[in-house]
Amino acid sequence: QEEALVASGDDGYTFYYTGDHDGDIVIDASVWPEVTNECTVIFDSANVNGKLVLANDIRVALVLSNDTVNTIKTIEGPGAHLRLAGADGELKLEGAGTLVSVSNLVVKSGTLSVKTTSIAAADEGNKTKVIEVLGHVKQTGGVIDIDIGLETTNQVCGIYLKNKNNNEDDIYAEFSGGKFKATVGGTKSAAVYVNKGSVDTKFEDEFSANVTLVGPEPRFVNSAGDIKFRNGSFAVTGTVDAASARVFKTNKKITVTDGLFQIEVTGGGSEIFSTSIDPEEPKTSSVTFSGGTFELRADDDCVSADTLIQIDGGLFYAVSVENDVFDSNGNMTINGGTIMAYALADGHEAFDVD
């Protein structure tokens, strides 16, 4: 590791790795006593047969050289801040269990590819957290590519956010640029799973998501908090085989301001926008649209809410194969928008309000 040190000073350390490297890369005060500022780790066609271990509270910029493919076993730094950059470079992680564990993760450029190849013995019957983040995830560019499409009865979470301080203000996911790709399988598995807080999809740039759902009960986003769409492009397809498949699932609020949604999920009673009552905060779950373009097709409800569906704007072409298109167990308010809704099955409606 000493040979990899190429610069040091008040601005922190810079490490450079290329070719094959056996063993772990450890960046903490026990190895480098003066590590206090952000460090830079450069991967230039590096194949690391080991872990990248990061100290608590350290900030690390992981820079991928252009047009290179780099591999590493795992990244372990539950108290560290990791920022990925590197234009056209790619970092690949494959294996079982948790592959990345950090406090905060920021993807600015480059490609982060993670793939679950099997379920670790310790995860049997529990959640597999492929990318575990204790604070926040921000994507402002680059590509996040998650493959958790293996057949399993385990719940597999591509990005799992859990608040380390039990403070909802400290945990969030923001996707404001770049591309997000995912293949999701497994029982109630999700590309993005938020244990607490909210998922804020603040798509101010040319963000796009391309997600494939397979197997029983998959989700794109499964959140314990609000889900917000301000812009962006979402292409979601899948054939599922369980009755509770959901594309966007929360027991709080879904709000859509703008964006393009091209979503077709069939089989097993699949729903697209789905909210249910929070037992601790009743009468809070709702779905609100104020703009956007929607091409939706689902076996079950395209939009389902326990308390309120409100449409203030947007262009909708929505089809339910076996159930209602818009289904509210509470109220429904339509103030604007253009809606073409088709319920194909006998006994079901375009609008169902209880």
Side-chain angles (χ1 to χ4, degrees):
Q1 186 163 310
E2 291 180 359
E3 297 175 354
L5 179 63
V6 295
S8 63
D10 294 338
D11 293 332
Y13 290 92
T14 298
F15 302 90
Y16 176 85
Y17 293 91
T18 186
D20 296 335
H21 177 86
D22 289 325
D24 298 339
I25 299 172
V26 181
I27 302 178
D28 65 17
S30 67
V31 180
W32 308 101
E34 298 179 3
V35 167
T36 54
N37 298 318
E38 181 175 85
C39 295
T40 300
V41 178
I42 301 172
F43 280 1
D44 186 359
S45 297
N47 299 302
V48 181
N49 186 24
K51 302 178 290 187
L52 175 61
V53 182
L54 308 177
N56 286 341
D57 298 322
I58 194 172
R59 296 181 178 274
V60 175
L62 183 53
V63 179
L64 311 174
S65 295
N66 287 346
D67 299 318
T68 64
V69 177
N70 307 270
T71 63
I72 193 167
K73 296 295 185 183
T74 60
I75 299 175
E76 298 180 6
H81 307 266
L82 179 65
R83 176 168 55 89
L84 183 71
D88 296 325
E90 181 179 9
L91 180 65
K92 299 178 68 173
L93 300 94
E94 294 187 8
T98 299
L99 302 179
V100 179
S101 176
V102 293
S103 177
N104 299 316
L105 175 64
V106 177
V107 177
K108 298 185 67 176
S109 58
T111 297
L112 175 62
S113 298
V114 296
K115 181 177 181 178
T116 296
T117 56
S118 62
I119 301 299
D123 289 341
E124 288 291 348
N126 301 304
K127 292 184 180 71
T128 294
K129 307 162 188 175
V130 182
I131 300 176
E132 184 175 26
V133 180
L134 301 180
H136 62 258
V137 170
K138 294 180 68 174
Q139 182 181 8
T140 60
V143 178
I144 297 177
D145 191 346
I146 295 172
D147 186 346
I148 54 174
L150 74 169
E151 293 184 10
T152 176
T153 57
N154 252 53
Q155 185 176 13
V156 184
C157 307
I159 298 176
Y160 178 90
L161 287 89
K162 181 178 181 181
N163 193 309
K164 61 183 178 181
N165 297 320
N166 201 32
N167 182 346
E168 292 192 358
D169 292 336
D170 292 338
I171 179 172
Y172 58 89
E174 290 184 359
F175 304 97
S176 58
K179 297 180 180 180
F180 186 100
K181 296 189 270 188
T183 300
V184 183
T187 302
K188 295 185 180 179
S189 294
V192 179
Y193 185 102
V194 180
N195 188 48
K196 292 185 178 180
S198 64
V199 171
D200 188 355
T201 51
K202 190 172 60 176
F203 304 114
E204 298 176 342
D205 300 318
E206 295 181 357
F207 179 92
S208 64
N210 193 313
V211 177
T212 301
L213 304 178
V214 297
E217 305 177 71
R219 287 104 160 84
F220 177 3
V221 179
N222 190 349
S223 177
D226 296 345
I227 304 175
K228 305 173 184 178
F229 302 95
R230 299 178 184 175
N231 207 336
S233 173
F234 301 84
V236 183
T237 59
T239 301
V240 300
D241 55 18
S244 58
R246 306 289 183 262
V247 179
F248 304 109
K249 176 71 173 70
T250 180
N251 55 12
K252 292 290 183 65
K253 298 177 181 179
I254 295 176
T255 58
V256 182
T257 305
D258 202 354
L260 172 63
F261 298 81
Q262 297 171 307
I263 301 175
E264 180 174 356
V265 184
T266 59
S270 51
E271 295 182 357
I272 297 176
F273 297 95
S274 179
T275 68
S276 57
I277 290 177
D278 184 343
E280 297 181 357
E281 298 182 44
K283 306 300 182 182
T284 61
S285 66
S286 62
V287 183
T288 302
F289 302 96
S290 58
T293 300
F294 305 84
E295 300 171 13
L296 310 177
R297 185 181 181 94
D299 265 19
D300 206 317
D301 306 328
C302 290
V303 181
S304 174
D306 270 348
T307 59
L308 172 67
I309 294 175
Q310 181 167 324
I311 302 173
D312 298 323
L315 173 61
F316 296 82
Y317 180 87
V319 177
S320 172
V321 177
E322 298 179 355
N323 213 322
D324 307 311
V325 181
F326 295 87
D327 186 352
S328 176
N329 293 328
N331 299 316
M332 186 180 301
T333 301
I334 301 176
N335 297 314
T338 301
I339 306 169
M340 291 164 279
Y342 302 90
L344 303 185
D346 291 340
H348 295 284
E349 308 294 340
F351 302 96
D352 183 10
V353 183
D354 295 337

